[in-house]
Amino acid sequence: MKPETFNDLEDAVADAQRESERAGDVYYKTITKWTVSRFTNGSGRKCYELAMAYDHAIDRLIDRLKHQLISAASRRKIIKLAVEQKSLLKADLDYFGTNLPPFPNEQKENAEPSASNEEGNRIAQTA
């Protein structure tokens, strides 16, 4: 196995950043639509799954940033922004954990993914 080069590390960070941004865009678009419709357009489950995918994408970005070959000050600044975003997302995850009824598919561990959460699963799989 060859060691990672500087370009490999930069590419990994760039990929993780794009993935995180994409997951955030999908999550915020979905939860905004759901909230504005007074919880009738879409589902809390889909929002929860997208929030989890976004949370994992941010974790991956933070992990990649820790290994990036940039100044410590620059790294700390970018990681601080990602951690702030995670703390905002934590409030949403806490809400879903305490205010939504149990999801019917939770007992089915090997259930096929529904079409309604296909986007969340796709993002979660890449995280």
Side-chain angles (χ1 to χ4, degrees):
M1 185 168 118
K2 75 175 191 172
E4 288 185 308
T5 66
F6 178 75
N7 287 336
D8 292 341
L9 292 172
E10 273 195 352
D11 289 347
V13 170
D15 289 345
Q17 188 167 0
R18 277 190 300 274
E19 178 185 324
S20 174
E21 290 168 356
R22 184 174 43 247
D25 289 346
V26 171
Y27 168 67
Y28 284 115
K29 178 182 175 185
T30 304
I31 195 166
T32 300
K33 188 175 181 181
W34 184 63
T35 304
V36 169
S37 73
R38 299 177 188 252
F39 314 119
T40 60
N41 189 352
S43 72
R45 177 66 175 176
K46 181 175 182 178
C47 292
Y48 173 76
E49 289 172 350
L50 292 172
M52 290 299 295
Y54 185 27
D55 189 59
H56 292 305
I58 293 171
D59 286 340
R60 183 171 177 224
L61 174 60
I62 291 170
D63 182 58
R64 297 294 187 264
L65 285 166
K66 289 178 182 176
H67 303 290
Q68 189 178 24
L69 302 173
I70 59 175
S71 72
S74 296
R75 186 179 314 118
R76 278 193 304 270
K77 182 180 176 183
I78 298 168
I79 290 174
K80 181 182 176 202
L81 291 172
V83 169
E84 287 173 2
Q85 192 61 40
K86 275 186 68 74
S87 69
L88 293 172
L89 186 59
K90 183 182 181 321
D92 290 353
L93 288 168
D94 289 345
Y95 168 82
F96 289 125
T98 58
N99 294 315
L100 292 178
F103 302 115
N105 290 342
E106 285 183 341
Q107 288 79 24
K108 300 178 185 177
E109 291 184 21
N110 296 325
E112 290 294 320
S114 68
S116 66
N117 66 15
E118 184 176 316
E119 181 70 13
N121 286 340
R122 184 182 58 74
I123 291 172
Q125 289 172 353
T126 61

